[in-house]
Amino acid sequence: AARIAAAADRIDAEAWPELLAVRWDRRVDNHGRGGYGSDQAFLRFRRDLAEGAEVAPVVLLVHLSENLLRNLNQYRSLLYGGGDGLGFKPRFVLDAEGQLALIPLPLPTATDYPAFVRDPSPWLTAESFLPNAAEGPRLAEFPYLPDVALAFGHPRIESFLRGEPQYLRFYDSAHPAAGTALTAAILEAFWREAAASGRIGIPVLMPTGLDLRYQRLHGHLPYQPLAAELARRDVPALDLGPLLAEAMQGHAIEHYYSGGDPGGHPNAAGYALIAHLLAEHLEARSVIGPKP
């Protein structure tokens, strides 16, 4: 237990919010939660504002590129598999005017749960990954051989075979899930509501290591359409992708990620680089002044 606690303390000390706090010698709150999408982070920001728990003058909402998938999801097990069967989440959709509309937590009752397991569609009315849907898991039935053959035509398998991040196609503005427009609306709403509360809100686009590897091969980041859409909306987002790509030139991308896995979390070197680039941006914008 002591070794686990020591490892947790070391990881916390290496995280970029803690590094910013040390650099500026002031409090930096980390409100992030594991597994959250950008939508849930935005909902928490709203709740903290309403409850008076958000007191910082500068607030960042970090959109990790993979999290576009979570913004389109209501039940985590359909997206990642496994879990405890209770991974329900609210999500936003865009109404006819392109405005955000909240779909509340789709939680079935204990009595309804067996029916939910057999067919979740009556509860998951805004789910992009329903079983046997174009982007959802395929349910195999006897005889299994045809289902195995069809599985190789699943978009996720095709992305894997092409060496692409599985979320790449969802950033295409023509994709029916409209993930780019939805995520842009979420980040814009955060920026506007932060300003309305007297705060400086900064949406931050955070690439994964897979994005940076893709950029080296193809010359652009997978989430470029989102950055372009935010620029079209005049939302002053900070895109860390080009900054990280430039800073990592001449180095293996794997050097900055735990276990050398670009699909995983940054390691100490990666977090230090992220903290440095964020600090430079915020200091250049003069949103971080002298310590009170």
Side-chain angles (χ1 to χ4, degrees):
R3 287 197 299 270
I4 294 173
D9 289 343
R10 178 182 57 78
I11 292 171
D12 288 343
E14 293 172 352
W16 61 262
E18 178 65 17
L19 297 178
L20 291 178
V22 171
R23 174 169 175 147
W24 292 325
D25 190 23
R26 68 179 68 206
R27 184 183 180 92
V28 176
D29 288 331
N30 181 1
H31 288 212
R33 287 293 180 270
Y36 267 22
S38 313
D39 51 0
Q40 292 168 285
F42 174 46
L43 286 171
R44 176 164 184 176
F45 170 71
R46 276 183 167 177
R47 186 196 70 186
D48 287 350
L49 277 183
E51 295 177 353
E54 181 54 78
V55 297
V58 180
V59 188
L60 310 182
L61 195 158
V62 179
H63 169 74
L64 183 69
S65 60
E66 179 192 354
N67 287 356
L68 180 138
L69 298 178
R70 299 177 185 178
N71 296 344
L72 301 171
N73 175 236
Q74 292 182 283
Y75 185 56
R76 185 178 177 87
S77 293
L78 293 177
L79 184 55
Y80 295 111
D84 57 9
L86 298 175
F88 298 93
K89 64 178 284 292
R91 68 157 289 194
F92 289 101
V93 296
L94 296 176
D95 63 20
E97 285 73 41
Q99 301 300 309
L100 290 175
L102 181 64
I103 306 296
L105 194 70
L107 191 63
T109 65
T111 303
D112 291 334
Y113 193 77
F116 169 83
V117 172
R118 290 191 297 270
D119 179 13
S121 58
W123 289 270
L124 305 181
T125 58
E127 174 62 64
S128 298
F129 305 97
L130 284 172
N132 288 330
E135 295 286 357
R138 303 282 167 81
L139 302 182
E141 297 178 349
F142 185 83
Y144 299 110
L145 190 57
D147 289 321
V148 172
L150 287 172
F152 281 95
H154 193 285
R156 185 170 294 195
I157 299 296
E158 292 179 344
S159 289
F160 172 78
L161 294 175
R162 288 194 296 265
E164 299 172 350
Q166 60 174 313
Y167 43 84
L168 171 67
R169 62 188 178 278
F170 287 88
Y171 279 103
D172 186 339
S173 59
H175 193 284
T180 290
L182 175 66
T183 302
I186 291 170
L187 297 178
E188 180 181 7
F190 158 75
W191 170 62
R192 293 189 182 281
E193 292 183 23
S197 71
R199 292 165 175 78
I200 297 172
I202 303 176
V204 178
L205 304 184
M206 180 79 72
T208 66
L210 297 177
D211 296 329
L212 296 169
R213 187 166 66 185
Y214 184 89
Q215 191 270 345
R216 284 191 179 182
L217 292 172
H218 301 281
H220 65 276
L221 291 157
Y223 61 85
Q224 179 57 37
L226 175 60
E229 176 62 17
L230 289 171
R232 187 188 71 80
R233 295 170 180 240
D234 293 325
V235 177
L238 167 60
D239 185 359
L240 283 177
L243 302 179
L244 285 167
E246 181 179 1
M248 291 181 183
Q249 282 184 0
H251 302 278
I253 292 171
E254 292 77 8
H255 170 73
Y256 296 94
Y257 290 88
S258 296
D261 178 13
H265 292 281
N267 57 20
Y271 282 130
L273 184 56
I274 290 169
H276 173 70
L277 294 173
L278 276 170
E280 283 199 332
H281 175 81
L282 296 175
E283 290 165 2
R285 286 188 54 180
S286 299
V287 298
I288 299 297
K291 182 185 175 185

